[in-house]
Each structure stands twice: as structure tokens, then as C-alpha cells.
């Protein structure tokens, strides 16, 4: 009976673990695939403590197994084993060894706590504001504001200046390092650097309400030249509205949307929702909920809270014609 119970539960456990771990998605958001000095140092400490713990486990398990076998009750032997109490040498040894191991863990921990706690003086600054359920990124001094996608230059230390507009959120880009909370009324700093160009994924790591799981963002790491070009294009956004549908969309936008959304290059300057300047250059909409395609924009405008639980953009009960004009207008934002 027992045998069968084991056979049934083991494959079940294996399948369960596989299903759960599949959520960890290869290297997309893996702290085990670092691309910068902060994430690399943190991973190094992880391996160091894992090595120490594995060593302790192997030694303790070996002594334990040896004792189980060597001193087991044998058939026909009813005598009581030798009774002992206390062994000063052993007790001193198992007090001193853990202390030495803890010192080995404490040295890098304290070292990195200071190294990562102090913002490098020449770091580039990006202000990050957490909102339910999206990210605002402001580049102080360059008049650039974006949402849910942050561009940074490669091999550059970036000081993310973190605060929140509402509840506590947490900023985490596993491949770059982290994470640090965004707390209303407080300013936290987290500096990160990437030594590789490419797109890396971030996620809010502090349960902040119904839309928390859909509060994602991308970090686009670019060469210095490409980054400078991006800043230039964000400072001089092109909005060229030509067709009647685009014009109708812009008109609708000024009535229904401009109270909440800003668009660079126009007079729309609402501050409640994400800044929509160069919206079409973003890989996703609604903080990673949908890929950024015209069909998905239409889906979003039709019923935001239906697409993303808890979304604070209301359902404006727009008609299909209105949605099509608005999408035509949004598609001009490059
Ligand atoms: C009451 C304020 C409000 C109004 C009015 C509003 N929005 Fe929004 N909008 C938001 C908020 C808040 C979000 C962020 C939702 C989220 O991701 O959780 C958002 C998100 C968006 C996004 C996705 C942006 C991104 O980068 O993820 C688009 C596009 C958008 N709104 C377009 C519109 C259009 C077009 C209208 C008018 C028809 C409109 N919004 C009206 C508040 C508003
Ligand atoms: Cu959250």
C-alpha cells in the first residue's frame, strides 16, 4: 500500500514542480542571468551562501547516516548503549565553526550593503514614480517623460530615484539587480548598470492591489549614440495628423482623454494617466498587459478594467467608430 502511494505522488509532485517553475520563464526575468555589476555581485553572494549551506548539509547528513547505520539496534542485542552527556571539545568546535562561516558571509554582505547603498556621485538620474498599476519615468533636466519603458545607456551607472503616487510598490529588474520599494512621501535610491544592450524586463514586486500582476515594465539598454538619439526624438515628438479619421480622433482625445493624458508636441497635458508621447515606440500598453498593436489599442479603449483588473482608466463606453478614430490618432504618436 505504502509503495503505491509513493509511486502515485512522486510523478504528481514532479509535474506540479514543473508547472510552478515554468512560470520562471527561462532567462527573461532571471536573477541567475545577470547583465550588470549589481546583479552579478548579488548572484555571487547567493552562490557563496549556497556553497556554505551545501557543505554543512553534506557533513551533517553524512554524520547522521553513519550514526543511523553504525549504532542501529541489532537483532537479539538488548543491552543499553553507553550513556554519555556533554563533550566540551565538540561543543566548542560546533560553536566556533558556525561563527567562522558567518564571518565569511558577513564580510561580502556588509561590503555590498554599503557599496549598493551609496549612490555613485556621477550616476545618471531617472525619477521613477509608481502608480496603481503603471510606471512613470522622468528624466530630470531633459524634459522627457515616459511610461512603462525606460531607456538607459549601456555601461552607465543609473540612479533610479524612487517614489510612489499612492501605495507601496517595489522596483525590480532581476537581470540588473534590485529590488527597492517605492514608498509614498519618501525617496529611495537604487543604482543599477547594464553591461549589455538589449531589453530586460522589470516587475512590481510588492502586492499593490488588483492590477499588481500587470504592473510590468521594460528596460531598453542602448549604445550611447542610440540613447542620445532616443532622447532627441522624445524632446521633439512628431505628431502629424492628416486623415479625417486622425483628426476626428484628436478631437475626441481633447474631449475625453486630455484631462488624464499628456502628449508631447500637443496642448494635451493631463497628469493622471501615463504620458502618451511617442506611444507607438512602446513595446506594450497598460504596463505589459497587451502588446502594442492597433487591435490591442482598440481592445484597451473598449474596456480598460475588463482587460486589466483594477485598471484606473475608466470604461468610457466609446462606440466602435470613436475607438477606430482614436486608434488612428494614437498611431500617429511616434
Ligand atoms: C480618468 C483618467 C483617464 C482618462 C479619462 C483616460 N485615461 Fe487612458 N489611462 C489612464 C490610466 C490611469 C492608465 C494606466 C492604466 C494601467 O496601465 O493600469 C491609462 C492608460 C492608457 C493607455 C496605455 C498607455 C501605456 O503606455 O500603457 C492608453 C493608450 C490610454 N490610456 C489612452 C486613453 C485614451 C485614448 C483616452 C480617451 C478615450 C483615455 N486614455 C482616457 C487614465 C485615463
Ligand atoms: Cu505592485
Amino acid at each position: 500500500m505504502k509503495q503505491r502511494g509513493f509511486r502515485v505522488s512522486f510523478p504528481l509532485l514532479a509535474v506540479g514542480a514543473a508547472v510552478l517553475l515554468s512560470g520562471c520563464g527561462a532567462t527573461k526575468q532571471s536573477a541567475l542571468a545577470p547583465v550588470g555589476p549589481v546583479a552579478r555581485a548579488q548572484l555571487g553572494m547567493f552562490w557563496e551562501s549556497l556553497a556554505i549551506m551545501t557543505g554543512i548539509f553534506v557533513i551533517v547528513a553524512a554524520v547522521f547516516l553513519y550514526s543511523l547505520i553504525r549504532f542501529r539496534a541489532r537483532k537479539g542485542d538488548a543491552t543499553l548503549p553507553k550513556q554519555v552527556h556533554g563533550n566540551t571539545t565538540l561543543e566548542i568546535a560546533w560553536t566556533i565553526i558556525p561563527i567562522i562561516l558567518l564571518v565569511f558571509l558577513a564580510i561580502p554582505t556588509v561590503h555590498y550593503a554599503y557599496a549598493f547603498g551609496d549612490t555613485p556621485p556621477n550616476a545618471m538620474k531617472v525619477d521613477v514614480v509608481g502608480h496603481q498599476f503603471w510606471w512613470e519615468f522622468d528624466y530630470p533636466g531633459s524634459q522627457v517623460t515616459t511610461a512603462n519603458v525606460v531607456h538607459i545607456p549601456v555601461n552607465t551607472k543609473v540612479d533610479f530615484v524612487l517614489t510612489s503616487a499612492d501605495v507601496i510598490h517595489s522596483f525590480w529588474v532581476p537581470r540588473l539587480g534590485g529590488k527597492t520599494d517605492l514608498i509614498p512621501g519618501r525617496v529611495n535610491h537604487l543604482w543599477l548598470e547594464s553591461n549589455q544592450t538589449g531589453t530586460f524586463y522589470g516587475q512590481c514586486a510588492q502586492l499593490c492591489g488588483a492590477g499588481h500582476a500587470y504592473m510590468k515594465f521594460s528596460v531598453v539598454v542602448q549604445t550611447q549614440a542610440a540613447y542620445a538619439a532616443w532622447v532627441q526624438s522624445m524632446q521633439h515628438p512628431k505628431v502629424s495628423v492628416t486623415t479625417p479619421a486622425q483628426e476626428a480622433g484628436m478631437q475626441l482625445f481633447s474631449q475625453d482623454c486630455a484631462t488624464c493624458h499628456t502628449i508631447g508636441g500637443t496642448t494635451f497635458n493631463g497628469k493622471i494617466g501615463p504620458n502618451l508621447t511617442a506611444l507607438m515606440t512602446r513595446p506594450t500598453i497598460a504596463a505589459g498587459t497587451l502588446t502594442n498593436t492597433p487591435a490591442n489599442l482598440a481592445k484597451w479603449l473598449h474596456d480598460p478594467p475588463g482587460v486589466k483588473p483594477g485598471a484606473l482608466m475608466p470604461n468610457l463606453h466609446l462606440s466602435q467608430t470613436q475607438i477606430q478614430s482614436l486608434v488612428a490618432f494614437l498611431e500617429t504618436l511616434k
Side-chain angles (χ1 to χ4, degrees):
M1 283 307 278
K2 263 182 191 161
Q3 196 61 356
R4 190 181 300 157
F6 181 74
R7 279 206 193 120
V8 171
S9 62
F10 182 74
L12 259 179
L13 269 178
V15 169
V19 167
L20 284 176
L21 290 172
S22 67
C24 300
T27 57
K28 256 195 152 186
Q29 283 197 2
S30 173
L32 299 177
V35 291
V38 177
R40 263 195 298 273
Q42 287 168 343
L43 182 61
M45 283 178 57
F46 168 76
W47 287 129
E48 185 195 328
S49 45
L50 189 68
I52 292 177
M53 288 186 283
T54 308
I56 295 173
F57 174 78
V58 168
I59 293 168
V60 170
V63 172
F64 176 62
L65 282 178
Y66 172 80
S67 312
L68 273 186
I69 295 162
R70 173 80 175 72
F71 302 109
R72 69 188 187 280
R74 291 193 166 79
K75 262 210 184 88
D77 179 3
T79 55
L80 210 56
K82 191 176 135 202
Q83 301 296 297
V84 290
H85 179 261
N87 181 321
T88 313
T89 319
L90 268 181
E91 280 176 17
I92 289 174
W94 69 51
T95 306
I96 287 182
I97 294 172
I99 289 176
I100 294 173
L101 293 177
L102 284 179
V103 167
F104 270 102
L105 282 176
I107 290 170
T109 307
V110 173
H111 168 75
Y112 287 129
Y114 281 99
F116 298 150
D118 293 338
T119 307
N122 49 356
M124 174 191 132
K125 280 195 192 313
V126 177
D127 293 336
V128 184
V129 186
H131 295 261
Q132 284 173 319
F133 301 95
W134 56 281
W135 301 87
E136 175 184 341
F137 298 103
D138 299 296
Y139 292 70
S142 59
Q143 313 276 337
V144 172
T145 296
T146 178
N148 305 322
V149 52
V150 58
H151 289 239
I152 59 171
V154 73
N155 296 327
T156 305
K157 292 184 173 59
V158 182
D159 175 17
F160 291 99
V161 185
L162 311 169
T163 189
S164 168
D166 37 53
V167 300
I168 300 180
H169 302 278
S170 187
F171 184 89
W172 191 26
V173 190
R175 297 193 65 185
L176 295 184
K179 52 200 162 189
T180 300
D181 281 4
L182 301 89
I183 301 169
R186 216 199 119 88
V187 175
N188 280 343
H189 291 261
L190 170 71
W191 75 264
L192 298 171
E193 175 182 342
S194 176
N195 304 128
Q196 224 178 74
T197 55
T199 302
F200 306 106
Y201 298 92
Q203 169 90 43
C204 179
Q206 176 66 55
L207 183 61
C208 56
H212 166 67
Y214 297 96
M215 190 170 160
K216 298 181 255 185
F217 61 101
S218 326
V219 182
V220 177
V221 184
Q222 297 175 295
T223 59
Q224 293 285 346
Y227 171 74
W230 176 78
V231 171
Q232 270 286 318
S233 74
M234 288 299 285
Q235 285 170 335
H236 308 281
K238 290 185 284 290
V239 183
S240 70
V241 173
T242 45
T243 71
Q246 291 168 351
E247 269 162 23
M250 190 165 181
Q251 180 58 35
L252 276 168
F253 195 94
S254 72
Q255 289 164 18
D256 292 340
C257 326
T259 42
C260 291
H261 292 290
T262 292
I263 299 178
T266 72
T267 55
F268 308 140
N269 62 357
K271 294 277 186 281
I272 294 166
N275 185 312
L276 300 180
T277 307
L279 175 72
M280 296 321 287
T281 63
R282 289 182 198 162
T284 67
I285 48 172
T289 309
L290 297 170
T291 51
N292 189 2
T293 62
N296 280 342
L297 276 170
K299 200 171 151 188
W300 172 250
L301 296 182
H302 174 64
D303 181 12
V307 169
K308 174 172 175 173
L312 295 182
M313 171 163 157
N315 182 338
L316 295 164
H317 302 286
L318 302 161
S319 71
Q320 277 311 317
T321 335
Q322 289 173 316
I323 290 177
Q324 288 318 318
S325 328
L326 281 163
V327 171
F329 168 60
L330 293 175
E331 278 185 277
T332 65
L333 308 179
K334 295 193 173 123

